[in-house]
mmCIF file of all heavy atoms in Angstrom:
data_model
loop_
_atom_site.group_PDB
_atom_site.id
_atom_site.type_symbol
_atom_site.label_atom_id
_atom_site.label_comp_id
_atom_site.label_asym_id
_atom_site.label_seq_id
_atom_site.Cartn_x
_atom_site.Cartn_y
_atom_site.Cartn_z
ATOM 1 N N PHE A 29 16.813 -7.543 -12.444
ATOM 2 C CA PHE A 29 15.935 -7.522 -11.306
ATOM 3 C C PHE A 29 14.804 -6.528 -11.538
ATOM 4 O O PHE A 29 15.014 -5.317 -11.589
ATOM 5 C CB PHE A 29 16.736 -7.126 -10.055
ATOM 6 C CG PHE A 29 15.918 -6.932 -8.792
ATOM 7 C CD1 PHE A 29 14.772 -7.665 -8.562
ATOM 8 C CD2 PHE A 29 16.296 -5.996 -7.847
ATOM 9 C CE1 PHE A 29 14.015 -7.506 -7.406
ATOM 10 C CE2 PHE A 29 15.552 -5.811 -6.687
ATOM 11 C CZ PHE A 29 14.401 -6.578 -6.456
ATOM 12 N N ARG A 30 13.605 -7.086 -11.781
ATOM 13 C CA ARG A 30 12.418 -6.253 -11.865
ATOM 14 C C ARG A 30 11.651 -6.406 -10.546
ATOM 15 O O ARG A 30 11.450 -7.506 -10.067
ATOM 16 C CB ARG A 30 11.479 -6.693 -12.997
ATOM 17 C CG ARG A 30 11.998 -6.401 -14.399
ATOM 18 C CD ARG A 30 11.035 -7.075 -15.394
ATOM 19 N NE ARG A 30 11.310 -6.810 -16.774
ATOM 20 C CZ ARG A 30 12.155 -7.496 -17.516
ATOM 21 N NH1 ARG A 30 12.802 -8.496 -16.994
ATOM 22 N NH2 ARG A 30 12.343 -7.197 -18.795
ATOM 23 N N ASP A 31 11.207 -5.281 -9.974
ATOM 24 C CA ASP A 31 10.527 -5.328 -8.701
ATOM 25 C C ASP A 31 9.147 -4.693 -8.851
ATOM 26 O O ASP A 31 9.020 -3.493 -9.175
ATOM 27 C CB ASP A 31 11.335 -4.588 -7.632
ATOM 28 C CG ASP A 31 10.944 -4.995 -6.227
ATOM 29 O OD1 ASP A 31 10.209 -6.015 -6.092
ATOM 30 O OD2 ASP A 31 11.386 -4.370 -5.275
ATOM 31 N N PHE A 32 8.107 -5.497 -8.641
ATOM 32 C CA PHE A 32 6.756 -5.011 -8.764
ATOM 33 C C PHE A 32 6.299 -4.342 -7.435
ATOM 34 O O PHE A 32 7.008 -4.385 -6.422
ATOM 35 C CB PHE A 32 5.783 -6.187 -9.069
ATOM 36 C CG PHE A 32 6.039 -6.801 -10.421
ATOM 37 C CD1 PHE A 32 6.773 -7.953 -10.540
ATOM 38 C CD2 PHE A 32 5.539 -6.206 -11.557
ATOM 39 C CE1 PHE A 32 7.015 -8.541 -11.777
ATOM 40 C CE2 PHE A 32 5.747 -6.754 -12.810
ATOM 41 C CZ PHE A 32 6.478 -7.942 -12.908
ATOM 42 N N MET A 33 5.124 -3.754 -7.482
ATOM 43 C CA MET A 33 4.531 -3.143 -6.313
ATOM 44 C C MET A 33 3.073 -3.626 -6.289
ATOM 45 O O MET A 33 2.163 -3.021 -6.842
ATOM 46 C CB MET A 33 4.596 -1.605 -6.385
ATOM 47 C CG MET A 33 4.163 -0.908 -5.138
ATOM 48 S SD MET A 33 4.543 0.872 -5.149
ATOM 49 C CE MET A 33 3.493 1.438 -6.501
ATOM 50 N N LEU A 34 2.853 -4.795 -5.625
ATOM 51 C CA LEU A 34 1.594 -5.494 -5.778
ATOM 52 C C LEU A 34 0.618 -5.349 -4.589
ATOM 53 O O LEU A 34 -0.508 -5.845 -4.685
ATOM 54 C CB LEU A 34 1.867 -7.001 -5.984
ATOM 55 C CG LEU A 34 2.719 -7.385 -7.201
ATOM 56 C CD1 LEU A 34 2.912 -8.883 -7.294
ATOM 57 C CD2 LEU A 34 2.131 -6.831 -8.476
ATOM 58 N N TYR A 35 1.037 -4.628 -3.537
ATOM 59 C CA TYR A 35 0.240 -4.609 -2.342
ATOM 60 C C TYR A 35 -0.219 -3.182 -1.995
ATOM 61 O O TYR A 35 0.587 -2.339 -1.622
ATOM 62 C CB TYR A 35 0.984 -5.203 -1.155
ATOM 63 C CG TYR A 35 1.206 -6.692 -1.292
ATOM 64 C CD1 TYR A 35 2.358 -7.193 -1.895
ATOM 65 C CD2 TYR A 35 0.225 -7.591 -0.843
ATOM 66 C CE1 TYR A 35 2.535 -8.549 -2.064
ATOM 67 C CE2 TYR A 35 0.417 -8.964 -1.011
ATOM 68 C CZ TYR A 35 1.554 -9.420 -1.606
ATOM 69 O OH TYR A 35 1.744 -10.797 -1.756
ATOM 70 N N GLU A 36 -1.502 -2.918 -2.144
ATOM 71 C CA GLU A 36 -2.039 -1.596 -1.845
ATOM 72 C C GLU A 36 -1.825 -1.205 -0.390
ATOM 73 O O GLU A 36 -1.501 -0.030 -0.089
ATOM 74 C CB GLU A 36 -3.563 -1.563 -2.172
ATOM 75 C CG GLU A 36 -4.189 -0.204 -1.902
ATOM 76 C CD GLU A 36 -5.714 -0.275 -2.021
ATOM 77 O OE1 GLU A 36 -6.296 -1.210 -1.434
ATOM 78 O OE2 GLU A 36 -6.298 0.591 -2.671
ATOM 79 N N LYS A 37 -2.010 -2.128 0.525
ATOM 80 C CA LYS A 37 -1.889 -1.822 1.933
ATOM 81 C C LYS A 37 -0.480 -1.311 2.254
ATOM 82 O O LYS A 37 -0.320 -0.397 3.068
ATOM 83 C CB LYS A 37 -2.222 -3.043 2.778
ATOM 84 C CG LYS A 37 -2.271 -2.793 4.262
ATOM 85 C CD LYS A 37 -2.711 -4.014 5.051
ATOM 86 C CE LYS A 37 -2.769 -3.771 6.552
ATOM 87 N NZ LYS A 37 -3.203 -4.973 7.303
ATOM 88 N N HIS A 38 0.524 -1.938 1.631
ATOM 89 C CA HIS A 38 1.912 -1.449 1.849
ATOM 90 C C HIS A 38 2.057 -0.054 1.321
ATOM 91 O O HIS A 38 2.679 0.829 1.998
ATOM 92 C CB HIS A 38 2.920 -2.359 1.167
ATOM 93 C CG HIS A 38 4.253 -1.689 0.996
ATOM 94 N ND1 HIS A 38 5.114 -1.406 2.014
ATOM 95 C CD2 HIS A 38 4.853 -1.170 -0.136
ATOM 96 C CE1 HIS A 38 6.169 -0.793 1.546
ATOM 97 N NE2 HIS A 38 6.032 -0.634 0.267
ATOM 98 N N VAL A 39 1.545 0.243 0.148
ATOM 99 C CA VAL A 39 1.712 1.584 -0.417
ATOM 100 C C VAL A 39 1.092 2.627 0.492
ATOM 101 O O VAL A 39 1.707 3.655 0.781
ATOM 102 C CB VAL A 39 1.039 1.658 -1.827
ATOM 103 C CG1 VAL A 39 1.118 3.071 -2.397
ATOM 104 C CG2 VAL A 39 1.685 0.671 -2.787
ATOM 105 N N ILE A 40 -0.094 2.359 0.992
ATOM 106 C CA ILE A 40 -0.771 3.311 1.875
ATOM 107 C C ILE A 40 -0.011 3.489 3.173
ATOM 108 O O ILE A 40 0.249 4.622 3.612
ATOM 109 C CB ILE A 40 -2.210 2.834 2.155
ATOM 110 C CG1 ILE A 40 -3.032 2.897 0.856
ATOM 111 C CG2 ILE A 40 -2.868 3.668 3.230
ATOM 112 C CD1 ILE A 40 -4.402 2.226 0.968
ATOM 113 N N ASN A 41 0.364 2.379 3.797
ATOM 114 C CA ASN A 41 1.051 2.468 5.091
ATOM 115 C C ASN A 41 2.453 3.082 4.979
ATOM 116 O O ASN A 41 2.878 3.872 5.832
ATOM 117 C CB ASN A 41 1.161 1.085 5.729
ATOM 118 C CG ASN A 41 -0.168 0.566 6.213
ATOM 119 O OD1 ASN A 41 -1.127 1.337 6.345
ATOM 120 N ND2 ASN A 41 -0.256 -0.735 6.440
ATOM 121 N N ALA A 42 3.154 2.756 3.889
ATOM 122 C CA ALA A 42 4.500 3.340 3.702
ATOM 123 C C ALA A 42 4.403 4.833 3.393
ATOM 124 O O ALA A 42 5.238 5.622 3.879
ATOM 125 C CB ALA A 42 5.212 2.604 2.589
ATOM 126 N N SER A 43 3.442 5.192 2.588
ATOM 127 C CA SER A 43 3.263 6.634 2.283
ATOM 128 C C SER A 43 2.911 7.393 3.526
ATOM 129 O O SER A 43 3.457 8.482 3.790
ATOM 130 C CB SER A 43 2.132 6.806 1.221
ATOM 131 O OG SER A 43 2.459 6.160 0.014
ATOM 132 N N ARG A 44 2.051 6.841 4.348
ATOM 133 C CA ARG A 44 1.688 7.491 5.592
ATOM 134 C C ARG A 44 2.882 7.650 6.535
ATOM 135 O O ARG A 44 3.126 8.668 7.132
ATOM 136 C CB ARG A 44 0.559 6.708 6.295
ATOM 137 C CG ARG A 44 0.032 7.362 7.574
ATOM 138 C CD ARG A 44 -0.969 6.479 8.281
ATOM 139 N NE ARG A 44 -2.197 6.318 7.507
ATOM 140 C CZ ARG A 44 -2.653 5.132 7.027
ATOM 141 N NH1 ARG A 44 -1.948 4.011 7.277
ATOM 142 N NH2 ARG A 44 -3.768 5.068 6.370
ATOM 143 N N GLY A 45 3.657 6.572 6.629
ATOM 144 C CA GLY A 45 4.829 6.588 7.504
ATOM 145 C C GLY A 45 5.882 7.574 7.043
ATOM 146 O O GLY A 45 6.511 8.247 7.854
ATOM 147 N N LEU A 46 6.080 7.635 5.725
ATOM 148 C CA LEU A 46 7.082 8.562 5.195
ATOM 149 C C LEU A 46 6.664 10.003 5.390
ATOM 150 O O LEU A 46 7.470 10.846 5.781
ATOM 151 C CB LEU A 46 7.325 8.255 3.693
ATOM 152 C CG LEU A 46 8.478 8.963 3.038
ATOM 153 C CD1 LEU A 46 9.804 8.638 3.734
ATOM 154 C CD2 LEU A 46 8.559 8.575 1.546
ATOM 155 N N VAL A 47 5.382 10.307 5.114
ATOM 156 C CA VAL A 47 4.910 11.656 5.329
ATOM 157 C C VAL A 47 4.959 12.048 6.819
ATOM 158 O O VAL A 47 5.353 13.174 7.177
ATOM 159 C CB VAL A 47 3.476 11.796 4.775
ATOM 160 C CG1 VAL A 47 2.822 13.098 5.250
ATOM 161 C CG2 VAL A 47 3.470 11.716 3.273
ATOM 162 N N ARG A 48 4.656 11.114 7.698
ATOM 163 C CA ARG A 48 4.760 11.384 9.105
ATOM 164 C C ARG A 48 6.179 11.780 9.520
ATOM 165 O O ARG A 48 6.369 12.678 10.355
ATOM 166 C CB ARG A 48 4.338 10.144 9.914
ATOM 167 C CG ARG A 48 4.424 10.306 11.429
ATOM 168 C CD ARG A 48 3.939 9.078 12.187
ATOM 169 N NE ARG A 48 4.746 7.932 11.867
ATOM 170 C CZ ARG A 48 4.241 6.780 11.378
ATOM 171 N NH1 ARG A 48 2.966 6.647 11.152
ATOM 172 N NH2 ARG A 48 5.060 5.759 11.133
ATOM 173 N N ARG A 49 7.151 11.180 8.885
ATOM 174 C CA ARG A 49 8.555 11.411 9.277
ATOM 175 C C ARG A 49 9.124 12.672 8.625
ATOM 176 O O ARG A 49 9.900 13.392 9.279
ATOM 177 C CB ARG A 49 9.396 10.195 8.919
ATOM 178 C CG ARG A 49 10.834 10.306 9.338
ATOM 179 C CD ARG A 49 11.545 8.974 9.164
ATOM 180 N NE ARG A 49 11.177 8.039 10.222
ATOM 181 C CZ ARG A 49 11.880 7.876 11.343
ATOM 182 N NH1 ARG A 49 12.931 8.640 11.586
ATOM 183 N NH2 ARG A 49 11.503 7.024 12.265
ATOM 184 N N VAL A 50 8.789 12.930 7.345
ATOM 185 C CA VAL A 50 9.503 14.020 6.626
ATOM 186 C C VAL A 50 8.590 15.196 6.299
ATOM 187 O O VAL A 50 9.076 16.247 5.905
ATOM 188 C CB VAL A 50 10.154 13.476 5.325
ATOM 189 C CG1 VAL A 50 11.125 12.376 5.643
ATOM 190 C CG2 VAL A 50 9.107 13.019 4.302
ATOM 191 N N MET A 51 7.281 15.033 6.420
ATOM 192 C CA MET A 51 6.362 16.140 6.128
ATOM 193 C C MET A 51 5.306 16.217 7.266
ATOM 194 O O MET A 51 4.119 15.951 7.043
ATOM 195 C CB MET A 51 5.639 15.921 4.797
ATOM 196 C CG MET A 51 6.551 15.786 3.618
ATOM 197 S SD MET A 51 5.620 15.402 2.093
ATOM 198 C CE MET A 51 6.925 15.172 0.906
ATOM 199 N N PRO A 52 5.701 16.594 8.469
ATOM 200 C CA PRO A 52 4.791 16.538 9.598
ATOM 201 C C PRO A 52 3.561 17.415 9.433
ATOM 202 O O PRO A 52 2.490 17.085 9.933
ATOM 203 C CB PRO A 52 5.656 16.960 10.793
ATOM 204 C CG PRO A 52 6.836 17.665 10.163
ATOM 205 C CD PRO A 52 7.069 17.013 8.865
ATOM 206 N N GLY A 53 3.703 18.569 8.749
ATOM 207 C CA GLY A 53 2.531 19.431 8.539
ATOM 208 C C GLY A 53 1.488 18.749 7.683
ATOM 209 O O GLY A 53 0.282 18.796 7.999
ATOM 210 N N VAL A 54 1.929 18.118 6.600
ATOM 211 C CA VAL A 54 0.995 17.391 5.743
ATOM 212 C C VAL A 54 0.378 16.212 6.472
ATOM 213 O O VAL A 54 -0.827 15.906 6.364
ATOM 214 C CB VAL A 54 1.694 16.897 4.447
ATOM 215 C CG1 VAL A 54 0.791 16.023 3.617
ATOM 216 C CG2 VAL A 54 2.229 18.082 3.646
ATOM 217 N N PHE A 55 1.205 15.546 7.300
ATOM 218 C CA PHE A 55 0.684 14.385 8.060
ATOM 219 C C PHE A 55 -0.425 14.810 9.024
ATOM 220 O O PHE A 55 -1.420 14.088 9.169
ATOM 221 C CB PHE A 55 1.822 13.754 8.843
ATOM 222 C CG PHE A 55 1.372 12.599 9.708
ATOM 223 C CD1 PHE A 55 0.955 11.398 9.126
ATOM 224 C CD2 PHE A 55 1.303 12.735 11.102
ATOM 225 C CE1 PHE A 55 0.510 10.339 9.945
ATOM 226 C CE2 PHE A 55 0.888 11.679 11.887
ATOM 227 C CZ PHE A 55 0.482 10.489 11.308
ATOM 228 N N SER A 56 -0.322 15.979 9.613
ATOM 229 C CA SER A 56 -1.374 16.447 10.543
ATOM 230 C C SER A 56 -2.677 16.599 9.807
ATOM 231 O O SER A 56 -3.759 16.235 10.311
ATOM 232 C CB SER A 56 -0.931 17.768 11.167
ATOM 233 O OG SER A 56 0.196 17.601 11.976
ATOM 234 N N ILE A 57 -2.624 17.162 8.576
ATOM 235 C CA ILE A 57 -3.824 17.310 7.782
ATOM 236 C C ILE A 57 -4.399 15.951 7.405
ATOM 237 O O ILE A 57 -5.606 15.728 7.484
ATOM 238 C CB ILE A 57 -3.531 18.153 6.527
ATOM 239 C CG1 ILE A 57 -3.080 19.568 6.907
ATOM 240 C CG2 ILE A 57 -4.727 18.196 5.584
ATOM 241 C CD1 ILE A 57 -2.562 20.377 5.736
ATOM 242 N N ALA A 58 -3.504 15.040 6.961
ATOM 243 C CA ALA A 58 -3.939 13.699 6.563
ATOM 244 C C ALA A 58 -4.556 12.948 7.714
ATOM 245 O O ALA A 58 -5.550 12.225 7.545
ATOM 246 C CB ALA A 58 -2.747 12.924 5.983
ATOM 247 N N ARG A 59 -4.021 13.112 8.890
ATOM 248 C CA ARG A 59 -4.533 12.420 10.067
ATOM 249 C C ARG A 59 -5.976 12.870 10.381
ATOM 250 O O ARG A 59 -6.845 12.037 10.706
ATOM 251 C CB ARG A 59 -3.634 12.646 11.265
ATOM 252 C CG ARG A 59 -4.075 11.899 12.520
ATOM 253 C CD ARG A 59 -3.034 11.924 13.580
ATOM 254 N NE ARG A 59 -2.678 13.313 13.921
ATOM 255 C CZ ARG A 59 -1.743 13.627 14.851
ATOM 256 N NH1 ARG A 59 -1.058 12.661 15.450
ATOM 257 N NH2 ARG A 59 -1.476 14.885 15.119
ATOM 258 N N VAL A 60 -6.244 14.171 10.276
ATOM 259 C CA VAL A 60 -7.586 14.679 10.465
ATOM 260 C C VAL A 60 -8.526 14.120 9.418
ATOM 261 O O VAL A 60 -9.645 13.670 9.735
ATOM 262 C CB VAL A 60 -7.620 16.220 10.452
ATOM 263 C CG1 VAL A 60 -9.044 16.730 10.463
ATOM 264 C CG2 VAL A 60 -6.822 16.796 11.619
ATOM 265 N N TYR A 61 -8.078 14.110 8.157
ATOM 266 C CA TYR A 61 -8.885 13.555 7.054
ATOM 267 C C TYR A 61 -9.267 12.124 7.340
ATOM 268 O O TYR A 61 -10.428 11.749 7.212
ATOM 269 C CB TYR A 61 -8.086 13.691 5.776
ATOM 270 C CG TYR A 61 -8.691 13.085 4.514
ATOM 271 C CD1 TYR A 61 -9.357 13.864 3.599
ATOM 272 C CD2 TYR A 61 -8.593 11.717 4.260
ATOM 273 C CE1 TYR A 61 -9.908 13.310 2.451
ATOM 274 C CE2 TYR A 61 -9.153 11.160 3.152
ATOM 275 C CZ TYR A 61 -9.794 11.962 2.228
ATOM 276 O OH TYR A 61 -10.344 11.400 1.109
ATOM 277 N N GLU A 62 -8.290 11.310 7.709
ATOM 278 C CA GLU A 62 -8.537 9.879 7.914
ATOM 279 C C GLU A 62 -9.410 9.656 9.151
ATOM 280 O O GLU A 62 -10.228 8.704 9.167
ATOM 281 C CB GLU A 62 -7.207 9.132 8.042
ATOM 282 C CG GLU A 62 -6.438 9.142 6.740
ATOM 283 C CD GLU A 62 -5.188 8.250 6.758
ATOM 284 O OE1 GLU A 62 -4.583 8.089 7.836
ATOM 285 O OE2 GLU A 62 -4.820 7.713 5.695
ATOM 286 N N THR A 63 -9.236 10.459 10.160
ATOM 287 C CA THR A 63 -10.036 10.297 11.382
ATOM 288 C C THR A 63 -11.498 10.628 11.111
ATOM 289 O O THR A 63 -12.406 9.898 11.573
ATOM 290 C CB THR A 63 -9.502 11.199 12.497
ATOM 291 O OG1 THR A 63 -8.150 10.839 12.789
ATOM 292 C CG2 THR A 63 -10.351 11.048 13.762
ATOM 293 N N VAL A 64 -11.731 11.704 10.383
ATOM 294 C CA VAL A 64 -13.098 12.147 10.120
ATOM 295 C C VAL A 64 -13.812 11.240 9.113
ATOM 296 O O VAL A 64 -14.962 10.819 9.328
ATOM 297 C CB VAL A 64 -13.118 13.611 9.651
ATOM 298 C CG1 VAL A 64 -14.540 14.001 9.207
ATOM 299 C CG2 VAL A 64 -12.639 14.529 10.769
ATOM 300 N N LEU A 65 -13.127 10.945 8.009
ATOM 301 C CA LEU A 65 -13.757 10.194 6.920
ATOM 302 C C LEU A 65 -13.586 8.707 7.039
ATOM 303 O O LEU A 65 -14.229 7.936 6.273
ATOM 304 C CB LEU A 65 -13.203 10.709 5.580
ATOM 305 C CG LEU A 65 -13.495 12.157 5.253
ATOM 306 C CD1 LEU A 65 -12.925 12.526 3.871
ATOM 307 C CD2 LEU A 65 -14.989 12.491 5.288
ATOM 308 N N ARG A 66 -12.719 8.241 7.918
ATOM 309 C CA ARG A 66 -12.470 6.815 8.141
ATOM 310 C C ARG A 66 -12.052 6.069 6.851
ATOM 311 O O ARG A 66 -12.558 4.965 6.586
ATOM 312 C CB ARG A 66 -13.712 6.166 8.772
ATOM 313 C CG ARG A 66 -14.059 6.724 10.153
ATOM 314 C CD ARG A 66 -15.296 6.029 10.731
ATOM 315 N NE ARG A 66 -15.617 6.596 12.043
ATOM 316 C CZ ARG A 66 -15.075 6.218 13.175
ATOM 317 N NH1 ARG A 66 -14.149 5.264 13.180
ATOM 318 N NH2 ARG A 66 -15.448 6.797 14.306
ATOM 319 N N ARG A 67 -11.219 6.709 6.097
ATOM 320 C CA ARG A 67 -10.660 6.062 4.909
ATOM 321 C C ARG A 67 -9.272 6.646 4.685
ATOM 322 O O ARG A 67 -8.958 7.739 5.149
ATOM 323 C CB ARG A 67 -11.562 6.219 3.693
ATOM 324 C CG ARG A 67 -11.771 7.644 3.204
ATOM 325 C CD ARG A 67 -12.524 7.629 1.895
ATOM 326 N NE ARG A 67 -12.750 8.941 1.355
ATOM 327 C CZ ARG A 67 -13.851 9.625 1.463
ATOM 328 N NH1 ARG A 67 -14.874 9.115 2.125
ATOM 329 N NH2 ARG A 67 -13.959 10.839 0.925
ATOM 330 N N PRO A 68 -8.413 5.938 3.924
ATOM 331 C CA PRO A 68 -7.065 6.457 3.694
ATOM 332 C C PRO A 68 -7.067 7.809 2.991
ATOM 333 O O PRO A 68 -7.894 8.068 2.110
ATOM 334 C CB PRO A 68 -6.414 5.364 2.819
ATOM 335 C CG PRO A 68 -7.209 4.124 3.096
ATOM 336 C CD PRO A 68 -8.607 4.617 3.315
ATOM 337 N N PHE A 69 -6.140 8.648 3.390
ATOM 338 C CA PHE A 69 -5.906 9.929 2.719
ATOM 339 C C PHE A 69 -5.631 9.616 1.242
ATOM 340 O O PHE A 69 -4.845 8.743 0.910
ATOM 341 C CB PHE A 69 -4.706 10.618 3.387
ATOM 342 C CG PHE A 69 -4.449 11.996 2.903
ATOM 343 C CD1 PHE A 69 -5.450 12.971 2.969
ATOM 344 C CD2 PHE A 69 -3.233 12.357 2.380
ATOM 345 C CE1 PHE A 69 -5.177 14.294 2.545
ATOM 346 C CE2 PHE A 69 -2.956 13.633 1.952
ATOM 347 C CZ PHE A 69 -3.938 14.607 2.032
#
């Protein structure tokens, strides 16, 4: 079983969701970054 990772949108959303859950301090910084610059952290 080889499993690829072919979808950028999933990587971004999953990374954001994981950081939100386990690294709330980092998520707060990332949220400001994304709000101001309007692009993914």
